[in-house]
Amino acid sequence: MTDLLSDREREILEFEARRPGHSSAKEEAIRGELQLTPARYYQLLDRVIDTEQALAADPMLVRRLRRIRDDAAARRAGRTALSAG
C-alpha cells in the first residue's frame, strides 16, 4: 500500500516522523533537506495526511497529525466565536 504514495509524499511523512513539532531548526531543515518553504511543506503535509495511502503507510503518525490539526482548528474556531460574540 505504501507504494501508492509518491516519493515526495513518502519523503514528507518520513521527515515529519523524524522532526515532530515546530521550531526554527525544523524550518531550516525543511528548506535544506526538502527544498521547500515551511508554508509549502505544511500545505503538502496537510494534503498527504488526508489520504488513505498515508494512513496505511504510517497509521500512528497520520492519526496523531490529523488529531493535532483538528484540535488546532477547533481552538481557532473557538477564538473566532468568542471574538464575534
Side-chain angles (χ1 to χ4, degrees), residues 22-57:
H22 295 275
S23 69
S24 59
K26 181 177 180 178
E27 289 185 6
E28 288 177 33
I30 291 168
R31 287 185 179 94
E33 291 180 36
L34 302 175
Q35 285 77 51
L36 293 170
T37 64
R40 183 65 179 145
Y41 168 78
Y42 287 110
Q43 288 173 341
L44 294 172
L45 178 63
D46 221 25
R47 286 186 195 152
V48 170
I49 66 172
D50 280 336
T51 67
E52 291 303 313
Q53 294 85 357
L55 185 61

Side-chain angles (χ1 to χ4, degrees), residues 73-85:
R75 282 192 304 276
R76 284 191 304 274
R79 283 195 305 262
T80 302
L82 289 175
S83 65

Side-chain angles (χ1 to χ4, degrees), residues 6 15 47 64 68 76 85:
S6 71
F15 181 88
R47 286 186 195 152
R64 179 175 61 82
I68 290 167
R76 284 191 304 274

Side-chain angles (χ1 to χ4, degrees), residues 53-66:
Q53 294 85 357
L55 185 61
D58 195 336
M60 288 179 58
L61 174 65
V62 170
R63 285 189 185 112
R64 179 175 61 82
L65 294 172
R66 286 177 179 179

